[in-house]
Amino acid sequence: MPENSGCRVPRSAFVFLFSWTAALRTIAEWRGGKLRALRSPAALDALETVLPELVKAIGAAPDPQATLTRFDKLVAGLPSAINFFHLLGAQPELAKIATRVLSLAPTLADALGARVELIEGLIDKRAFEAPAMKAELLAEWAAGLAGLDYERLLDRVRDRVGERRFAYGVQLIAAANDPLVIACGYSELAEAALQVLADATVAEFVAAHGRVPDSELVVLALGRLGGRALTHASDLDLIYLFTGDHLAESDGPRLLGATTYYNRLAQRVTAAMSVPTAAGKLYDVDTRLRPQGAQGPLVVTLDSFERYQREEAWTWEHMALLRARPVYGSDRAKAEVQRIIDALLAIPRDPAKLAQDAAGMRDKIAAHKPPKGALDIKGGPGGLVDLEFAMQVTQLVNGRCHDPNISAALACLNTARLAPPEVVEAHGLLARMLVMLRLTAPEDEPPTAAARQLVAAACGEPGWPQLLAAHDIARQEIANWWASIRPETPAQQETGS
């Protein structure tokens, strides 16, 4: 049959017919009570009440077929769907949000499947306001956490963090805030959780072992938490330190030497932040950036930390300190840690040796962890790792702009004419891409067709092709800056390239 006969059905129509055929089949299964959550008459009545608006919302989702599949999976995991459907019926806008989440953000879809009540938190319009700061979160949580035993506290904090993290992810999906603002919000949330859980863990430990006189635990954040730029999937890079004399002992019923005391305490703080409970998982904690790495003790004194950094640390360890920030401890202890860091970063450097050391470490990273694809925003030529290496070498050589937040540090370097303005813009684009891709494509796969427009818009581009073009330009700007800083390799010297 000729294609222009008027009788040929376009391929797109077949897709449309198949999608709605599948939808009708799924709805028939719901009505037939196939799912556990829909076996009661009350549940089926609730379904029928919300079904017209629900079908409309699924059909309007960026990817209706994927949304239908994930919604079916979500309902299948519920013990009962009555309250969920009543909520969607009472708040029609929530159905639109839920279907958009299911269509665009696999990570949020999984969270919603595990805790369907997360959707309730979006009823409050404040859920779409700018993320709360640490002090605001602590004040907000105080009443609900007061008086809880340790295990219940662990669960409650996981619930509170999960609710906020979900809401921030929805803000990204709804384009309610700049991805970099949300990244800061994720960081404030993690720091608030650390404050509450570390306080509770210390109190438990003191009850058993007393305190080490004139001594306390201090936590130093590095990486994305140090720089207040977490993504939805970031782990926490932490170094544990303690003040006072390492030869001291605790004063409780079961005495411990200071080093043993703080190593056990730090292990418990890590567990409080990372071990899954009935309420789920909180954060992965990485402590490998501590002095002497995984082979060294988990906790050292401030004096030992400073001595190691001055006498034994590699160049890259001082580079890492450029993104360090004390996040737990008394104001006095945190100020002392910051003083040590500031003094270490102010040490005069040999520019040639510094660049050579940095280039050698960057090559090792590239060999050990090659980029996962064209959209590996951190790895590969011109990625965020290259940008950090170029920036950190510049900071250490010039002794300036030691702000742990990359955006602030680059702005400072640009003002001082030490970083090109194009690199500042390149970082803004890639940093926003990273935040969005960690949510919409968490396994380092390219985002779905439905999510691409969302990611592009969040990065200030009109569409996916334009975003890819801007991404390539940004990486080239960063690669050029890093190439201008790192020394030539022997092969480059031979060819003159």
Side-chain angles (χ1 to χ4, degrees):
M1 182 179 298
E3 287 192 18
N4 60 357
S5 67
C7 298
R8 183 175 183 273
V9 180
R11 178 177 175 79
S12 59
F14 280 121
V15 174
F16 178 84
L17 290 172
F18 171 78
S19 297
W20 281 106
T21 299
L24 292 173
R25 183 168 60 248
T26 300
I27 292 170
E29 291 175 351
W30 292 347
R31 285 171 160 163
K34 180 179 178 181
L35 301 181
R36 174 185 57 171
L38 293 170
R39 287 178 184 161
S40 71
L44 290 173
D45 286 345
L47 169 65
E48 293 299 334
T49 300
V50 76
L51 196 55
E53 290 300 320
L54 178 60
V55 170
K56 189 183 300 182
I58 291 174
D63 188 342
Q65 190 64 45
T67 304
L68 176 67
T69 301
R70 289 175 181 153
F71 193 89
D72 183 54
K73 180 180 178 183
L74 185 156
V75 176
L78 298 176
S80 172
I82 298 174
N83 292 338
F84 180 49
F85 285 137
H86 279 326
L87 180 63
L88 295 186
Q91 301 284 339
E93 284 300 311
L94 290 185
K96 297 177 183 178
I97 294 173
T99 53
R100 190 167 175 82
V101 163
L102 295 172
S103 181
L104 296 170
T107 301
L108 297 183
D110 290 344
L112 190 58
R115 287 185 61 200
V116 72
E117 67 272 15
L118 288 173
I119 199 75
E120 296 181 35
L122 304 180
I123 295 175
D124 190 339
K125 294 299 182 184
R126 290 179 300 176
F128 292 91
E129 294 176 353
M133 303 300 285
K134 173 185 171 181
E136 296 174 292
L137 291 168
L138 293 176
E140 178 184 313
W141 295 349
L145 300 179
L148 295 180
D149 63 46
Y150 188 65
E151 297 301 325
R152 289 177 63 201
L153 181 73
L154 295 183
D155 285 341
R156 189 67 59 84
V157 170
R158 280 157 173 73
D159 286 341
R160 295 293 176 265
V161 171
E163 290 161 5
R164 280 281 178 169
R165 190 189 274 168
F166 182 80
Y168 293 165
V170 171
Q171 286 197 28
L172 291 174
I173 297 301
N177 260 310
D178 187 315
L180 298 188
V181 172
I182 298 297
C184 181
Y186 282 138
S187 304
E188 294 289 320
L189 181 61
E191 198 174 333
L194 175 63
Q195 182 74 49
V196 171
L197 294 179
D199 280 349
T201 304
V202 168
E204 286 277 300
F205 206 74
V206 167
H209 301 286
R211 297 183 183 277
V212 177
D214 302 317
S215 179
E216 65 175 288
L217 180 71
V218 188
V219 182
L220 183 63
L222 297 96
R224 303 197 72 79
L225 179 59
R228 289 190 173 92
L230 290 183
T231 70
H232 194 87
S234 294
D235 59 8
L236 308 182
D237 293 310
L238 303 178
I239 291 178
Y240 295 109
L241 306 168
F242 69 94
T243 63
D245 185 356
H246 74 282
L247 295 176
E249 289 185 332
S250 65
D251 58 10
R254 285 179 281 172
L255 299 181
L256 291 175
T259 299
T260 301
Y261 181 100
Y262 283 110
N263 271 272
R264 291 184 184 177
L265 175 57
Q267 289 172 354
R268 295 193 183 187
V269 172
T270 296
M273 291 292 291
S274 61
V275 172
T277 71
K281 178 182 174 183
L282 198 55
Y283 295 101
D284 289 326
V285 174
D286 190 341
T287 59
R288 291 174 295 177
L289 290 174
R290 65 185 186 268
Q292 299 172 339
Q295 306 305 314
L298 182 59
V299 192
V300 297
T301 65
L302 267 60
D303 289 343
S304 294
F305 175 74
E306 182 172 18
R307 185 166 55 252
Y308 171 83
Q309 293 290 345
R310 286 187 178 278
E311 299 174 4
E312 301 179 51
W314 295 76
T315 297
W316 67 266
E317 292 178 278
H318 285 186
M319 292 168 64
L321 287 181
L322 285 161
R323 299 194 68 191
R325 181 171 60 91
V327 293
Y328 181 80
S330 67
D331 290 343
R332 180 179 178 181
K334 288 192 291 186
E336 178 61 15
V337 172
Q338 189 61 57
R339 182 199 65 77
I340 291 171
I341 292 172
D342 291 344
L344 291 167
L345 297 180
I347 295 172
R349 316 277 170 168
D350 177 345
K353 184 180 185 305
L354 177 62
Q356 185 176 19
D357 288 349
M361 176 52 66
R362 181 66 187 99
D363 290 342
K364 289 180 180 178
I365 293 174
H368 177 70
K369 194 174 182 180
K372 297 177 181 178
L375 285 179
D376 185 339
I377 302 299
K378 295 173 68 176
L384 290 176
V385 175
D386 276 1
L387 183 144
E388 287 192 46
F389 269 70
M391 179 187 75
Q392 289 163 356
V393 170
T394 303
Q395 289 172 299
L396 289 178
V397 166
N398 292 278
R400 302 179 65 173
C401 304
H402 296 167
D403 193 306
N405 179 268
I406 293 179
S407 295
L410 282 175
C412 175
L413 290 172
N414 176 242
T415 299
R417 299 183 181 276
L418 296 172
E422 295 81 5
V423 169
V424 178
E425 295 176 8
H427 171 259
L429 181 84
L430 295 189
R432 289 178 174 85
M433 284 188 73
L434 182 70
V435 173
M436 295 303 298
L437 291 173
R438 285 290 186 267
L439 191 69
T440 59
E443 300 301 324
D444 290 310
E445 296 293 327
T448 63
R452 290 176 182 176
Q453 181 58 41
L454 172 71
V455 176
C459 297
E461 295 295 335
W464 186 249
Q466 294 91 334
L467 177 60
L468 291 183
H471 162 268
D472 292 346
I473 292 171
R475 292 187 80 113
Q476 189 59 58
E477 293 291 351
I478 292 169
N480 291 344
W481 190 36
W482 175 228
S484 72
I485 291 170
R486 66 170 295 160
E488 290 185 346
T489 64
Q492 289 173 324
Q493 291 172 350
E494 290 176 7
T495 61
S497 58

